[in-house]
Coordinates of all heavy atoms in Angstrom, one line a residue:
G123 N 16.6 -23.0 9.8 CA 15.5 -22.8 10.8 C 14.8 -24.1 11.1 O 14.5 -24.4 12.2
S124 N 14.5 -24.9 10.0 CA 13.8 -26.2 10.2 C 14.7 -27.1 11.0 O 14.1 -27.8 11.9 CB 13.5 -26.8 8.9 OG 12.5 -26.0 8.2
I125 N 16.0 -27.2 10.8 CA 16.8 -28.1 11.5 C 16.9 -27.6 13.0 O 16.8 -28.5 13.9 CB 18.2 -28.1 10.9 CG1 18.2 -28.8 9.5 CG2 19.2 -28.9 11.8 CD1 19.4 -28.7 8.7
S126 N 17.0 -26.3 13.2 CA 17.1 -25.8 14.6 C 15.8 -26.1 15.3 O 15.9 -26.4 16.5 CB 17.4 -24.3 14.5 OG 18.6 -24.0 14.0
N127 N 14.7 -26.0 14.7 CA 13.4 -26.2 15.3 C 13.1 -27.6 15.5 O 12.9 -28.1 16.7 CB 12.3 -25.5 14.5 CG 11.0 -25.6 15.2 OD1 10.8 -25.3 16.4 ND2 9.9 -26.0 14.5
D128 N 13.2 -28.4 14.5 CA 12.8 -29.8 14.6 C 13.8 -30.8 15.2 O 13.4 -31.7 15.9 CB 12.5 -30.3 13.1 CG 11.3 -29.6 12.5 OD1 10.5 -28.9 13.2 OD2 11.3 -29.6 11.2
Y129 N 15.0 -30.6 14.9 CA 16.0 -31.5 15.4 C 16.7 -31.1 16.7 O 16.8 -31.8 17.6 CB 17.1 -31.7 14.3 CG 18.4 -32.4 14.7 CD1 18.3 -33.7 15.1 CD2 19.6 -31.8 14.6 CE1 19.4 -34.4 15.5 CE2 20.7 -32.5 14.9 CZ 20.6 -33.8 15.4 OH 21.8 -34.5 15.7
K130 N 17.1 -29.8 16.7 CA 17.8 -29.4 17.9 C 16.9 -28.8 19.0 O 17.4 -28.6 20.1 CB 18.9 -28.3 17.4 CG 19.9 -29.0 16.5 CD 21.0 -28.1 16.2 CE 21.9 -28.8 15.2 NZ 23.3 -28.4 15.3
G131 N 15.7 -28.4 18.6 CA 14.8 -27.8 19.6 C 15.4 -26.4 20.1 O 15.0 -25.9 21.2
D132 N 16.2 -25.8 19.3 CA 16.8 -24.5 19.6 C 15.9 -23.4 19.0 O 16.1 -22.9 17.9 CB 18.2 -24.4 19.0 CG 18.9 -23.2 19.4 OD1 18.3 -22.2 20.0 OD2 20.2 -23.1 19.2
F133 N 14.8 -23.1 19.7 CA 13.8 -22.2 19.1 C 14.2 -20.8 18.9 O 13.9 -20.2 17.9 CB 12.5 -22.3 20.1 CG 12.0 -23.7 20.3 CD1 11.9 -24.1 21.6 CD2 11.7 -24.5 19.3 CE1 11.4 -25.4 21.8 CE2 11.3 -25.8 19.5 CZ 11.1 -26.3 20.8
P134 N 15.0 -20.2 19.8 CA 15.5 -18.8 19.5 C 16.4 -18.8 18.2 O 16.2 -17.9 17.4 CB 16.4 -18.5 20.7 CG 15.8 -19.3 21.8 CD 15.4 -20.6 21.1
R135 N 17.2 -19.8 18.0 CA 18.0 -19.9 16.8 C 17.1 -20.1 15.5 O 17.3 -19.5 14.5 CB 19.0 -21.0 16.9 CG 20.1 -20.9 15.8 CD 21.3 -21.6 16.2 NE 22.4 -21.3 15.3 CZ 23.2 -22.2 14.8 NH1 23.2 -23.4 15.3 NH2 24.1 -21.8 13.9
A136 N 16.1 -21.0 15.7 CA 15.2 -21.2 14.5 C 14.5 -19.9 14.2 O 14.4 -19.5 13.0 CB 14.2 -22.3 14.9
L137 N 14.0 -19.2 15.2 CA 13.3 -17.9 14.9 C 14.3 -16.9 14.2 O 13.9 -16.2 13.3 CB 12.8 -17.3 16.2 CG 11.5 -17.8 16.7 CD1 11.1 -17.2 18.1 CD2 10.4 -17.6 15.7
D138 N 15.5 -16.9 14.7 CA 16.5 -16.0 14.1 C 16.7 -16.3 12.6 O 16.7 -15.4 11.8 CB 17.9 -16.1 14.8 CG 18.9 -15.2 14.3 OD1 18.6 -13.9 14.2 OD2 20.0 -15.6 13.9
F139 N 16.8 -17.6 12.3 CA 17.0 -17.9 10.9 C 15.7 -17.6 10.1 O 15.8 -17.0 9.0 CB 17.2 -19.4 10.7 CG 18.6 -19.9 11.1 CD1 18.8 -21.0 11.9 CD2 19.8 -19.2 10.7 CE1 20.1 -21.4 12.3 CE2 21.0 -19.6 11.0 CZ 21.2 -20.7 11.9
Y140 N 14.5 -17.9 10.6 CA 13.3 -17.6 9.9 C 13.1 -16.1 9.7 O 12.6 -15.7 8.7 CB 12.1 -18.3 10.6 CG 12.0 -19.7 10.4 CD1 11.6 -20.6 11.5 CD2 12.2 -20.4 9.2 CE1 11.5 -21.9 11.4 CE2 12.1 -21.7 9.0 CZ 11.8 -22.5 10.1 OH 11.7 -23.9 10.0
L141 N 13.4 -15.3 10.7 CA 13.2 -13.9 10.6 C 14.2 -13.3 9.6 O 13.8 -12.3 8.9 CB 13.3 -13.2 12.0 CG 12.2 -13.6 13.0 CD1 12.5 -13.0 14.4 CD2 10.9 -13.0 12.5
K142 N 15.4 -13.8 9.5 CA 16.3 -13.3 8.5 C 15.8 -13.7 7.1 O 15.8 -12.9 6.2 CB 17.7 -14.0 8.7 CG 18.4 -13.4 9.9 CD 19.8 -14.1 10.1 CE 20.5 -13.5 11.3 NZ 21.8 -14.2 11.5
A143 N 15.2 -14.9 7.0 CA 14.7 -15.3 5.7 C 13.4 -14.5 5.4 O 13.3 -14.1 4.2 CB 14.3 -16.8 5.8
L144 N 12.6 -14.2 6.4 CA 11.4 -13.3 6.2 C 11.8 -12.0 5.6 O 11.2 -11.5 4.7 CB 10.7 -13.2 7.5 CG 9.3 -12.5 7.4 CD1 8.3 -13.2 6.6 CD2 8.8 -12.2 8.8
K145 N 12.8 -11.4 6.2 CA 13.2 -10.0 5.8 C 13.7 -10.0 4.3 O 13.3 -9.2 3.5 CB 14.4 -9.5 6.7 CG 14.8 -8.1 6.4 CD 15.9 -7.7 7.3 CE 16.4 -6.3 6.8 NZ 17.6 -5.8 7.5
L146 N 14.5 -11.0 4.0 CA 14.9 -11.1 2.6 C 13.7 -11.4 1.6 O 13.7 -10.9 0.5 CB 16.0 -12.2 2.4 CG 17.3 -11.9 3.1 CD1 18.2 -13.1 3.1 CD2 18.0 -10.7 2.4
E147 N 12.8 -12.3 2.1 CA 11.7 -12.6 1.2 C 10.8 -11.4 1.0 O 10.2 -11.3 -0.1 CB 10.9 -13.8 1.9 CG 10.1 -14.6 1.0 CD 10.8 -15.5 0.0 OE1 11.2 -16.6 0.4 OE2 11.0 -15.0 -1.2
E148 N 10.7 -10.6 2.0 CA 9.9 -9.3 1.9 C 10.5 -8.5 0.8 O 9.8 -7.8 0.0 CB 9.8 -8.6 3.2 CG 8.8 -9.3 4.2 CD 8.9 -8.7 5.6 OE1 9.9 -8.0 5.9 OE2 7.9 -8.9 6.3
E149 N 11.8 -8.4 0.8 CA 12.5 -7.6 -0.3 C 12.3 -8.2 -1.7 O 12.2 -7.5 -2.6 CB 14.0 -7.6 0.0 CG 14.4 -6.8 1.2 CD 15.9 -6.9 1.6 OE1 16.7 -7.4 0.8 OE2 16.2 -6.5 2.7
L150 N 12.2 -9.5 -1.7 CA 11.9 -10.2 -3.0 C 10.5 -10.1 -3.4 O 10.1 -10.3 -4.6 CB 12.3 -11.7 -2.9 CG 13.8 -12.0 -2.8 CD1 14.0 -13.5 -2.5 CD2 14.6 -11.5 -4.0
K151 N 9.6 -9.7 -2.5 CA 8.2 -9.6 -2.7 C 7.6 -10.9 -3.2 O 6.7 -10.9 -4.1 CB 7.8 -8.5 -3.6 CG 8.2 -7.1 -3.1 CD 7.9 -6.0 -4.0 CE 8.0 -4.6 -3.4 NZ 9.3 -4.1 -3.3
D152 N 8.0 -12.0 -2.6 CA 7.5 -13.4 -3.0 C 6.5 -13.8 -2.0 O 6.8 -14.3 -0.9 CB 8.7 -14.4 -3.1 CG 8.2 -15.8 -3.3 OD1 7.1 -16.0 -3.6 OD2 9.1 -16.7 -3.3
K153 N 5.2 -13.6 -2.3 CA 4.1 -13.8 -1.4 C 4.0 -15.3 -1.0 O 3.8 -15.6 0.2 CB 2.8 -13.4 -1.9 CG 2.6 -11.9 -1.9 CD 1.3 -11.5 -2.4 CE 1.1 -10.0 -2.4 NZ -0.3 -9.6 -2.7
N154 N 4.3 -16.2 -1.9 CA 4.3 -17.6 -1.6 C 5.3 -18.0 -0.6 O 5.1 -18.7 0.3 CB 4.4 -18.4 -2.9 CG 4.0 -19.9 -2.8 OD1 3.0 -20.2 -2.1 ND2 4.8 -20.7 -3.4
G155 N 6.5 -17.5 -0.9 CA 7.6 -17.7 0.1 C 7.4 -17.1 1.5 O 7.6 -17.7 2.5
L156 N 6.8 -15.9 1.4 CA 6.4 -15.3 2.7 C 5.4 -16.1 3.5 O 5.6 -16.2 4.7 CB 5.8 -13.9 2.4 CG 6.8 -12.7 2.1 CD1 6.0 -11.5 1.6 CD2 7.6 -12.4 3.3
A157 N 4.4 -16.6 2.8 CA 3.4 -17.4 3.5 C 4.0 -18.6 4.2 O 3.7 -18.9 5.3 CB 2.3 -17.8 2.5
G158 N 4.9 -19.3 3.5 CA 5.6 -20.5 4.1 C 6.4 -20.1 5.3 O 6.4 -20.8 6.3
I159 N 7.2 -19.0 5.2 CA 8.0 -18.6 6.3 C 7.2 -18.2 7.5 O 7.5 -18.5 8.6 CB 9.0 -17.5 5.9 CG1 10.0 -18.1 4.8 CG2 9.8 -17.0 7.1 CD1 10.8 -17.0 4.1
L160 N 6.1 -17.4 7.2 CA 5.2 -17.0 8.3 C 4.7 -18.2 9.0 O 4.6 -18.3 10.3 CB 4.1 -16.1 7.8 CG 4.6 -14.7 7.3 CD1 3.4 -14.1 6.5 CD2 5.0 -13.9 8.5
G161 N 4.3 -19.3 8.3 CA 3.8 -20.5 8.9 C 4.8 -21.2 9.7 O 4.6 -21.7 10.8
N162 N 6.1 -21.2 9.2 CA 7.2 -21.8 10.0 C 7.4 -21.1 11.3 O 7.7 -21.7 12.3 CB 8.4 -21.9 9.1 CG 8.4 -22.9 8.0 OD1 7.6 -23.8 8.1 ND2 9.2 -22.8 7.0
I163 N 7.4 -19.8 11.2 CA 7.5 -19.0 12.5 C 6.4 -19.3 13.4 O 6.7 -19.5 14.6 CB 7.6 -17.5 12.1 CG1 8.8 -17.1 11.4 CG2 7.5 -16.6 13.4 CD1 8.9 -15.7 10.8
G164 N 5.2 -19.4 12.9 CA 4.1 -19.9 13.8 C 4.3 -21.2 14.4 O 4.1 -21.4 15.6
N165 N 4.9 -22.1 13.6 CA 5.3 -23.5 14.2 C 6.2 -23.4 15.4 O 6.1 -24.1 16.4 CB 5.8 -24.4 13.1 CG 4.9 -24.7 12.0 OD1 3.7 -24.6 12.2 ND2 5.4 -25.1 10.9

């Protein structure tokens, strides 16, 4: 997601990667990881 956003400027793809990560992180119940991913989606 970071590569797609920062390097390629492919925002839909970056969002797709981050949203997939978010879903898995929610299953893990890792609040710290969730906060980071939510911030990246905001970016």
Side-chain angles (χ1 to χ4, degrees):
S124 293
I125 292 168
S126 297
N127 186 45
D128 299 337
Y129 170 58
K130 299 189 178 207
D132 188 348
F133 306 125
R135 192 157 190 221
L137 280 175
D138 183 52
F139 287 133
Y140 286 138
L141 290 171
K142 287 177 181 177
L144 183 67
K145 182 179 178 189
L146 291 172
E147 202 70 83
E148 286 170 342
E149 292 172 13
L150 292 172
K151 295 181 171 84
D152 176 8
K153 288 184 178 183
N154 195 40
L156 281 170
I159 295 168
L160 290 166
N162 287 339
I163 292 170
N165 292 341

